[in-house]
Amino acid sequence: MLVVLFVAVAYAVLIALHAWMIRHHRLEGAYEPRAARWLAARFGPLPPPRPAGPVLARREAKAFDRLLTGDLDPAAYRDLMALLAAQDAVERPLRVPR
C-alpha cells in the first residue's frame, strides 16, 4: 500500500512539474503530457510555444543518438553538450525579469 501511495505522489509531482514547465518555458516540439497540458490550461490560456533553435536541437538529438548507440562516450557527450549550451547562450541569452 505504501508503494502505491509513493508511486501516485511521484506521478502527481511529475505532472505538476510538467504543467509548470508548459506555463513558463513552453518550447515548440517539446513533449507535453495530456494531463500536464490540461492542468496548465486550468490557470489561464497557454502561452504560444517558443522556437527551440532547430540547428542546435538537431545537433543535440544526433549527439544523444550517438551516445545511446555507443558511438560517443559519456565524457565526450558532456563536452559536446557544454559546447551546445554555450552556443545556445550566445544565440538566445537568458532574460531574467526584474
Side-chain angles (χ1 to χ4, degrees), residues 35-67:
R37 198 171 38 241
W38 176 85
L39 182 62
R42 297 307 109 203
F43 296 100
L46 294 178
R50 294 179 298 147
V55 174
L56 291 178
R58 193 168 36 250
R59 288 180 63 196
E60 183 178 349
K62 284 182 182 178
F64 184 69
D65 289 343
R66 289 177 54 208
L67 177 70

Side-chain angles (χ1 to χ4, degrees), residues 71-92:
D71 294 337
L72 191 64
D73 64 296
Y77 176 75
R78 280 191 297 275
D79 293 340
L80 185 57
M81 288 298 109
L83 262 173
L84 288 176
Q87 288 176 349
D88 188 46
V90 169
E91 288 181 16
R92 297 181 298 150

Side-chain angles (χ1 to χ4, degrees), residues 7-56:
V7 169
V9 168
Y11 181 75
V13 167
L14 288 174
I15 290 298
L17 288 173
H18 263 287
W20 185 85
M21 288 298 291
I22 291 170
R23 296 281 316 146
H24 298 284
H25 304 287
R26 194 169 186 203
L27 291 177
E28 196 173 282
Y31 172 66
E32 296 178 352
R34 270 186 276 164
R37 198 171 38 241
W38 176 85
L39 182 62
R42 297 307 109 203
F43 296 100
L46 294 178
R50 294 179 298 147
V55 174
L56 291 178

